[in-house]
Amino acid sequence: MENKNKQTDEITASSQKVETRESPESPGRLNIDDINRRNAEERKKEKKLSYIITGIVAGLLIIVAIFFFN
């Protein structure tokens, strides 16, 4: 009898673990507005990074040009 209860508890525990792994978030669809907002923020960060890299490269080119023309 004790062995049977132990097996039942193990089965219940394992089924609960499976359920929590499958849906950690509440059920339902993702909000498209949230996805669009995240994508816009990512594009904005990428654009800012490209401006920073372009500025650094342009600055280095100016420094090299000054060095060679002196």
Side-chain angles (χ1 to χ4, degrees):
M1 184 75 168
E2 202 173 300
N3 193 16
K4 187 176 182 183
N5 286 340
K6 187 176 179 181
Q7 287 177 345
T8 306
D9 291 341
E10 289 175 1
I11 291 171
T12 305
S14 65
S15 67
Q16 288 173 350
K17 287 180 185 177
V18 170
E19 289 175 11
T20 57
R21 254 187 278 141
E22 289 176 357
S23 60
E25 298 177 359
S26 62
R29 296 178 55 187
L30 294 174
N31 190 353
I32 191 72
D33 294 331
D34 290 338
I35 295 170
N36 288 337
R37 180 180 44 81
R38 280 187 240 139
N39 289 341
E41 289 174 4
E42 187 175 328
R43 281 191 298 268
K44 190 176 180 181
K45 287 179 184 179
E46 288 174 357
K47 196 176 208 181
K48 185 177 180 182
L49 182 62
S50 68
Y51 288 151
I52 291 171
I53 292 172
T54 303
I56 291 171
V57 169
L60 290 174
L61 287 175
I62 291 171
I63 291 171
V64 169
I66 291 171
F67 178 73
F68 280 120
F69 288 119
N70 274 336

